[in-house]
């Protein structure tokens, strides 16, 4: 069963960002499956690496759109992204130490953080970006 499922309630009304968020949810779900079914530390480590890489790709792309549109809360948004990047790094270190024994609760924390970020922080930029022709 999926740990988190993207639906329209998560839409930020910007196609690129919605697609990225769906990809991040799918990586979290893949990681959850790998941990739950004990697929081994290599599969788990590779998936965490992909999650880390894609998180940075998404945050950079999103911040570039915010910059292009002169979004007034870019600095605060960037700071939140940095917090999440640090959390993913902590998770990666935890997986490197504990391998397949890494606790799922750490992944649940990342899932909750990302979901809340999309719902409470990302959604704040929808109107501003849309009004600058970014959809
Ligand atoms: Fe979609 Fe601000 O992360």
């Amino acid at each position: 069963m999926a740990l988190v499922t993207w639906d329209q309630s998560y839409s930020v009304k910007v196609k690129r960002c919605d697609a990225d968020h769906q990809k991040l949810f799918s990586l979290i779900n893949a990681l959850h499956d790998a941990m739950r079914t004990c697929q081994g530390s290599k599969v788990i480590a590779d998936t965490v690496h992909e999650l880390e890489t894609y998180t940075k790709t998404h945050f950079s792309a999103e911040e570039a759109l915010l910059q292009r549109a002169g979004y007034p809360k870019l600095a605060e948004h960037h700071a939140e992204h940095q917090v999440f990047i640090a959390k993913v790094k902590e998770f990666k270190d935890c997986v490197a130490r504990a391998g397949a024994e890494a606790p799922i609760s750490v992944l649940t924390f990342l899932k909750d953080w990302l979901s809340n970020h999309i719902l409470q922080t990302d959604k704040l930029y929808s109107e501003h970006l849309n009004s600058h022709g970014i959809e």
Side-chain angles (χ1 to χ4, degrees), residues 43-60:
V43 174
I44 294 171
D46 287 352
T47 314
V48 174
H49 178 70
E50 203 182 343
L51 176 64
E52 182 182 41
T53 304
Y54 205 82
T55 295
K56 289 177 182 169
T57 300
H58 166 59
F59 287 169
S60 295

Side-chain angles (χ1 to χ4, degrees), residues 2 17 25 30 33-34 36 46 48 51 67 76 82 85 113 115 118 123 130:
C17 296
F25 278 10
D33 272 351
R36 203 172 44 86
D46 287 352
V48 174
L51 176 64
Q67 174 108 49
E76 295 99 303
Q82 293 307 112
I85 286 171
W113 193 100
S115 302
I118 293 169
K123 272 177 172 275
N130 290 171

Side-chain angles (χ1 to χ4, degrees), residues 15 30 33 62-63 81 88 91 96 101 120:
K15 283 186 200 74
D33 272 351
E62 191 174 83
E63 287 175 26
H81 285 170
V88 173
F91 180 59
E101 303 301 314
Q120 292 167 18

Side-chain angles (χ1 to χ4, degrees), residues 60-99:
S60 295
E62 191 174 83
E63 287 175 26
L65 292 176
L66 297 178
Q67 174 108 49
R68 201 169 100 204
Y71 186 60
K73 293 181 177 163
L74 174 57
E76 295 99 303
H77 203 123
H78 172 75
E80 275 200 30
H81 285 170
Q82 293 307 112
V83 169
F84 189 68
I85 286 171
K87 292 291 174 195
V88 173
K89 169 80 168 58
E90 274 176 32
F91 180 59
K92 187 174 147 188
D93 293 345
C94 173
V95 163
R97 279 194 311 273

